[in-house]
Amino acid sequence: MDEFDTRGADLMEKHHRTRRLLRRYNETPSDAGETRAEVLSELLGRVGQGGWIEPPFFCDYGENIFLGAGVFLNFNCTVLDGARVEIGEGTLLGPGVQIYATSHPLAAGDRIYDRDGVPGYHTTAAPVTIGRHVWIGGGAIILPGVTIGDGTTIGAGAVVTSSVPENVFAAGNPCRVIRTL
């Protein structure tokens, strides 16, 4: 996992920019599709044709989020994109799905101080990759470093702590494969 300080000058500048864009996106009326599309293209690393996010939507930086064609995120999704988050074409996320490419060290001292004892907000990050034509049920949580294979369905409320193969139904906490599709 990569490590970084979320309060560094570079990231704080990105943080403030993202907050401005999110506020604009989340407050844009539902019938202003062209404006929403413009804001998303400015906010995210890539939005494929027909990509759609229902507000409210929340993310850390936006620029590390890459959506394929026809991706749909329902209401109240959160993406902590301290590392790359790739969501393949035709993938659908239910309401309240949370994708965390970002985490923190387990030991308290590692979260609060760097190796030289300097205070900071130390964060770790690992990419999240979600394949094509995946369905993730409402309230699911996807943790850092996870890959979800093409054609897979993740049950509502699942906590995905490790990678899931393609074309399976997986659910639970922790998420596990229930059956092949």
Side-chain angles (χ1 to χ4, degrees), residues 73 78-81 85 87 93 97-102 128 130 136 140-143:
L73 280 67
T78 299
V79 181
L80 302 185
D81 61 311
V85 174
I87 302 175
L93 276 62
V97 169
Q98 300 172 57
I99 300 172
Y100 303 151
T102 306
V128 171
I130 300 171
I136 300 175
I141 299 172
I142 315 299
L143 296 182

Side-chain angles (χ1 to χ4, degrees), residues 25 27-37 52 54-55:
Y25 185 77
E27 292 176 358
T28 299
S30 60
D31 60 356
E34 189 174 311
T35 300
R36 277 191 180 174
W52 185 273
E54 280 290 344

